[in-house]
Amino acid sequence: MASEREVFELSGPLHLASVDWENANHRRSVAACLVQGVYILERDRQEKRQGTEAFAPRWWEFCHFRLLRQLVDDVDSSIFGAVYEFKPLLLQGHHKVDGSPRFVIAFRGTLTKPDSVSRDIELDLHLIQNGLHRTSRFEIAMQVVRNMVATVGDSNVWLAGHSLGSAMAMLAGRTMARTGIFLKSYLFNPPFFAAPIERIKDKKLKHGLRIAGSVITAGLALALKAGSNNNQRNGIEEPFFAIAAWVPSLFVNPSDHVGSEYIGYFEHRKKMEDIGAGSIERLATQNSIGGLLLNALGRESEPIHLIPSAELVVNLSPAQDFKQAHGIHQWWQPHLQLHSKIYEYS
């Protein structure tokens, strides 16, 4: 039996009668619904719901997209992504298409269902170990992204993802940014693997722990790089600086321990600048202690969750529990208490 959360008419953005693509709330809601469409595509597959019994199509048809392609994992045959094409009606009344994408490539997160959970958890473990780029699922996704950009142009392609899927989209966006191609990206509840310092209520303690972490991380980075004969800009900072012009949109909830550290990650940079320790933080912000140690052991490791620039959108609306705080459904709800700020690395 289908969950209420799978049925568009029961849990979708019914308040969104028409889409104004110049409205940031509308763009966010549509991107989240397209990601939800990928979740339900896989649920339809698992439950063998086809034709009129399928629930997934309503999640993209309401905003005039059509499913162009499903992305299928080569290990367990689960649907982990989708390519959507925007097909606006010729006569839509007040529907605006200014600023709309032509194509959206969306990725779902982990599904805790028997047919897909083992493979999804395997990918989660690769993500924790900074090894997502070595997985066949990412290779499939990256090939699709490259082909779409080459065919229709980068300005016509958006990326979107939730949780594990947002990590997939972030890695794809980073990879393209290194070639000078900056794709508009909507990353919902992106994972940030670190001690949950953001959950600490004492601001002085929290700030002190972050300063200590920055000093240790920067010191370890310098020590490990000293033997490689690389100067700071060319050896340590260049890959990070190269993607600074890419500004993805990150959507996080303070009650979501999976991704809430992004709040402190970006805010801490400004505080370090204010106390005259900006040079330390510029080095610390692009490294993780775990990644540095793996590199020291000869295992190539780049923490993909550390990014130089972003539009950080924080949902300050109260969450009942972790499931709600980490869920995709929150991002198309009306009347959210959102705080948005753009952080640009320099």
Side-chain angles (χ1 to χ4, degrees), residues 160-229:
H162 174 251
S163 194
L164 172 62
S166 71
M168 190 84 65
M170 182 179 289
L171 182 53
R174 286 174 63 105
T175 303
M176 298 304 292
R178 285 181 171 174
T179 67
I181 295 173
F182 308 114
L183 300 179
K184 194 171 186 64
S185 303
Y186 289 81
L187 310 178
F188 301 99
N189 301 91
F192 192 109
F193 297 107
I197 298 176
E198 191 60 29
R199 306 295 296 275
I200 297 174
K201 302 300 181 183
D202 188 316
K203 292 184 178 181
K204 289 185 178 180
L205 175 59
K206 182 162 58 176
H207 186 42
L209 288 173
R210 290 199 186 282
I211 292 176
S214 293
V215 172
I216 294 171
T217 303
L220 184 59
L222 287 174
L224 292 176
K225 293 293 182 179
S228 63
N229 297 319

Side-chain angles (χ1 to χ4, degrees), residues 5 16-17 23 46 64 73 98 126 142 179 189 202 227 243 271 283 305 310 314 339 341:
R5 299 172 69 83
L16 207 59
N23 186 311
Q46 293 178 2
H64 306 288
D73 190 283
D98 296 338
H126 280 291
M142 198 64 238
T179 67
N189 301 91
D202 188 316
I243 64 172
K271 293 177 180 178
L283 185 54
H305 62 287
V314 181
H339 178 267
K341 185 173 181 179

Side-chain angles (χ1 to χ4, degrees), residues 127 130 170 174 178 190-194 217 239-241 243 246 248 250 261-262 265-266 269 281-292 301-310 345:
L127 175 60
N130 298 328
M170 182 179 289
R174 286 174 63 105
R178 285 181 171 174
F192 192 109
F193 297 107
T217 303
F240 201 72
F241 186 78
I243 64 172
W246 179 52
L250 275 57
E261 279 303 301
Y262 271 111
Y265 173 71
F266 285 108
R269 289 185 192 173
E281 186 56 25
R282 279 191 292 276
L283 185 54
T285 196
Q286 57 189 294
N287 290 285
S288 69
I289 292 177
L292 289 169
S301 176
E302 180 182 357
I304 67 165
H305 62 287
L306 303 183
I307 55 176
S309 306
Y345 182 82

Side-chain angles (χ1 to χ4, degrees), residues 3-6 36 39 43 110-113 162-163 188-189 199 253-258 315 317-333:
S3 163
E4 177 180 309
R5 299 172 69 83
E6 296 178 5
Q36 174 71 351
Y39 277 107
R43 290 294 295 132
T110 302
L111 260 177
T112 56
K113 302 296 180 181
H162 174 251
S163 194
F188 301 99
N189 301 91
R199 306 295 296 275
N253 189 309
S255 298
D256 172 21
H257 62 260
V258 172
N315 182 10
S317 305
Q320 295 179 351
D321 50 29
F322 166 73
K323 185 176 181 180
Q324 184 182 39
H326 188 66
I328 187 68
H329 286 70
Q330 66 185 297
W331 298 113
W332 60 71
Q333 301 302 321

